[in-house]
């Protein structure tokens, strides 16, 4: 049987450095989605203060239910179409939805096979292929570091607070892990089929076992955890993810774009949410962001809040090119510094433009200026 999928790579801007951005494998992938993700990536990467341009790639291939061999074959087909357009100083791929260490390993292996080189053309590699310690957890941890820095600035903390999270993939799992480290209580997660509310706090060992090892649906979570309830997607009230019905201090959308609309925002506001911080890329719709702004809810935009992932990807690139390795503690310390600097730089921009706590505008202005200045400096 021959199976055909469409794959893309959008190289959007390389004023600050080589194109850099993840690869997504999901049936919903279209060129339009990848274009907005690549556009966002330009400014996110600029906000990190590191020298990388912006790109995104992906395919409408659905990895669900496929064997390891089928996944490998698809990764090889994808790389054989793109290897000529990428390079360690040209365009460096990375992970995203449906692309984790397994897929990255196969993509890397095919590049090596085709070019006879061990160039670092992709990040989030398995450790055995030159991956960085702390990369898998970087996006989720970075999201929580950013949010904690933001809260400290207004004399608040996550400690002891109820938090809701959507998603149950790489970003969501590590956000939950870091919330526990800081003494917060994460009580929800979700996947494409439904949502879990566990008032005792999400059982992280069970979640990791289900999602990372068994690659199973969250419906099995309730069978092993009596304190939890499961709501199927078909039963979501008004089509809005059930996790946003749960009263919380902090909400972290960590699944996908446009997952938190106006209706969800109203529920969160009615339940007195204090802060919403985006782990996913553009999960909050424009109208929902407006509502949060109107009600003075603190809001951490994705291009700042989830930039820890791509930042540690750059640490992976630098370790590869120097043939040196950072310890997990070193990576974590650098990640904390990067997230704290991101917040400080955005806040400075907000002050400069009299934007108070409008971090959305602050982040956009900061990223835009860095890219524009680099473009102007290179001549037109
Ligand atoms: P994963 O593939 O590991 O997990 C994705 C999670 O979101 C899964 O729980 C999945 O459910 C759920 N999901 C995906 N699509 C949908 C959908 N259409 N409707 C409902 N649920 C959905 O991806 P990541 O955790 O890596 O990525 C999550 C988000 O974070 C994405 O927006 C990504 O762009 C962003 N991001 C990721 C970074 C990274 O380093 N990985 C860095 C910065 C941002 P199911 O298990 O059923 O498939
Ligand atoms: O959206 C993102 O920043 C990512 N998926 C990570 C990209 C990367 O190159 O590590």
């Amino acid at each position: 049987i021959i199976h055909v999928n469409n794959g893309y790579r959008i190289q959007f801007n390389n004023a600050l450095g080589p194109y850099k951005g993840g690869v997504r494998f999901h049936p919903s992938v279209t060129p339009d989605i990848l274009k907005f993700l690549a556009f966002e990536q330009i400014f996110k990467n600029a906000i990190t203060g590191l020298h990388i341009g912006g790109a995104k790639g992906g395919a409408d291939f659905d990895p669900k239910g496929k064997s390891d061999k089928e996944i490998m074959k698809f990764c090889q087909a994808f790389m054989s179409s793109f290897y000529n357009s990428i390079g360690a100083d040209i365009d460096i791929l990375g992970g995203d939805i449906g692309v984790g260490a397994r897929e990255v390993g196969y993509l890397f292996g095919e590049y090596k096979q085709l070019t006879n080189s061990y160039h670092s053309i992709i990040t989030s590699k398995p450790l055995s292929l030159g991956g960085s310690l702390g990369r898998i957890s970087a996006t989720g941890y970075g999201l929580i570091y950013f949010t904690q820095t933001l809260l400290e600035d207004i004399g608040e903390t996550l400690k002891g607070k109820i938090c809701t999270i959507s998603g149950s993939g790489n970003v969501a799992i590590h956000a939950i892990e870091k919330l526990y480290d800081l003494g917060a209580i994460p009580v929800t997660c979700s996947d494409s089929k439904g949502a879990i509310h566990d008032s005792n706090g999400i059982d992280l060992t069970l979640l990791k076992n289900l999602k990372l090892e068994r690659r199973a649906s969250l419906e099995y979570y309730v069978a092993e955890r009596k304190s939890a309830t499961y709501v199927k997607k078909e039963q979501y009230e008004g089509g809005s993810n059930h996790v946003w019905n749960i009263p919380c201090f902090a909400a972290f959308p960590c699944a996908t774009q446009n997952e938190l609309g106006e209706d969800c925002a109203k529920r969160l506001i009615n339940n007195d949410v204090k802060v919403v911080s985006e782990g996913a890329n553009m999960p909050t719709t424009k109208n929902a962001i407006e509502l949060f702004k109107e009600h003075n809810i603190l809001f951490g935009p994705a291009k700042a809040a989830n930039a820890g992932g791509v930042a540690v990807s750059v640490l992976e690139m630098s370790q590869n090119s120097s043939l040196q390795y950072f310890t997990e503690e070193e990576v974590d310390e650098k990640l904390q510094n990067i997230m704290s600097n991101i917040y400080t730089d955005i806040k400075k921009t907000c002050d400069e433009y009299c934007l108070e706590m409008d971090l959305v505008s602050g982040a956009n202005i900061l990223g835009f200026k860095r890219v524009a200045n680099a473009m102007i400096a290179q001549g037109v």
Side-chain angles (χ1 to χ4, degrees):
I1 302 168
I2 293 176
H3 193 94
V4 179
N5 282 100
N6 293 308
Y8 314 87
R9 182 72 180 165
I10 313 290
Q11 300 177 329
F12 219 132
N13 186 289
N14 65 352
L16 282 171
Y19 300 110
K20 176 81 190 98
V23 173
R24 177 178 294 191
F25 291 165
H26 194 271
S28 65
V29 164
T30 61
D32 285 349
I33 288 178
L34 297 177
K35 279 186 208 166
F36 93 70
L37 288 167
F39 187 67
E40 285 288 294
Q41 196 82 40
I42 301 169
F43 304 107
K44 180 197 304 194
N45 292 359
I47 286 168
T48 63
L50 300 163
H51 279 279
I52 36 174
K56 196 85 185 188
D60 57 8
F61 171 74
D62 187 357
K64 281 214 186 82
K66 304 286 194 303
S67 67
D68 265 10
K69 188 171 174 186
E70 286 167 322
I71 301 274
M72 184 179 78
K73 287 281 173 201
F74 183 74
C75 290
Q76 290 171 344
F78 185 89
M79 184 52 81
S80 68
S81 301
F82 290 100
Y83 76 100
N84 248 333
S85 312
I86 65 173
D89 297 318
I90 301 167
D91 181 2
I92 306 96
L93 317 183
D96 196 74
I97 294 177
V99 177
R102 174 182 59 171
E103 292 74 18
V104 167
Y106 294 148
L107 289 162
F108 179 75
E110 181 66 6
Y111 184 87
K112 197 192 86 170
Q113 183 75 12
L114 291 167
T115 62
N116 192 30
S117 84
Y118 213 94
H119 292 159
S120 184
I121 49 80
I122 189 163
T123 56
S124 286
K125 292 185 287 292
L127 294 180
S128 60
L129 300 177
S132 175
L133 288 163
R135 173 60 187 91
I136 295 174
S137 55
T139 312
Y141 282 14
L143 169 68
I144 305 307
Y145 290 144
F146 178 86
T147 311
Q148 180 72 351
T149 310
L150 158 61
L151 287 170
E152 275 166 6
D153 198 24
I154 58 150
E156 267 289 2
T157 173
L158 284 165
K159 194 163 189 225
K161 304 290 186 355
I162 302 284
C163 299
T164 54
I165 296 94
S166 66
S168 54
N170 176 276
V171 179
I173 285 174
H174 295 99
I176 291 171
E177 188 162 87
K178 187 49 69 181
L179 283 170
Y180 275 128
D181 283 354
L182 298 186
I185 310 153
V187 296
T188 68
C189 60
S190 65
D191 63 14
S192 53
K193 296 209 181 83
I196 291 287
H197 175 214
D198 192 337
S199 49
N200 285 354
I202 293 294
D203 180 337
L204 193 57
T205 311
L206 175 57
L207 181 65
K208 282 186 176 180
N209 173 268
L210 267 178
K211 285 308 204 183
L212 304 179
E213 281 157 48
R214 286 152 64 188
R215 297 184 192 264
S217 151
L218 279 178
E219 66 189 298
Y220 299 105
Y221 183 98
V222 274
E224 292 172 50
R225 184 89 168 161
K226 298 297 168 215
S227 55
T229 51
Y230 177 69
V231 179
K232 275 190 191 159
K233 192 178 180 179
E234 294 73 32
Q235 291 159 354
Y236 286 171
E237 219 179 298
S240 302
N241 192 332
H242 178 67
V243 301
W244 312 127
N245 287 334
I246 310 302
C248 65
F249 172 85
F252 300 96
C254 296
T256 194
Q257 65 272 2
N258 300 325
E259 55 164 314
L260 200 168
E262 232 173 314
D263 189 41
C264 312
K266 283 182 189 153
R267 292 173 200 207
L268 285 164
I269 293 165
N270 286 339
N271 283 329
D272 255 351
V273 70
K274 287 287 172 304
V275 58
V276 178
S277 221
E278 297 183 313
N281 283 309
M282 291 189 100
T284 317
T285 64
K286 194 167 171 288
N287 291 344
I289 294 176
E290 284 297 322
L291 275 178
F292 289 138
K293 198 172 162 185
E294 256 171 51
H295 289 82
N296 289 321
I297 312 293
L298 288 171
F299 185 80
K303 62 170 72 65
N306 75 26
V310 75
V312 174
S313 281
V314 175
L315 298 182
E316 180 173 332
M317 288 154 63
S318 88
Q319 291 172 83
N320 294 156
S321 60
S322 64
L323 306 178
Q324 303 285 323
Y325 286 94
F326 300 145
T327 63
E328 194 142 18
E329 291 71 29
E330 285 171 323
V331 172
D332 194 57
E333 198 188 321
K334 287 176 201 296
L335 173 63
Q336 291 193 43
N337 280 332
I338 291 168
M339 298 319 291
S340 157
N341 290 340
I342 289 175
Y343 178 73
T344 310
D345 290 352
I346 293 176
K347 192 67 206 328
K348 258 191 220 151
T349 311
C350 286
D351 293 344
E352 193 185 334
Y353 288 83
C354 302
L355 293 166
E356 295 183 5
M357 286 303 273
D358 179 359
L359 304 180
V360 174
S361 304
N364 285 340
I365 294 171
L366 176 67
F368 181 86
K369 279 174 76 175
R370 284 189 180 156
V371 177
N373 287 340
M375 289 173 77
I376 292 164
Q378 285 170 52
V380 280

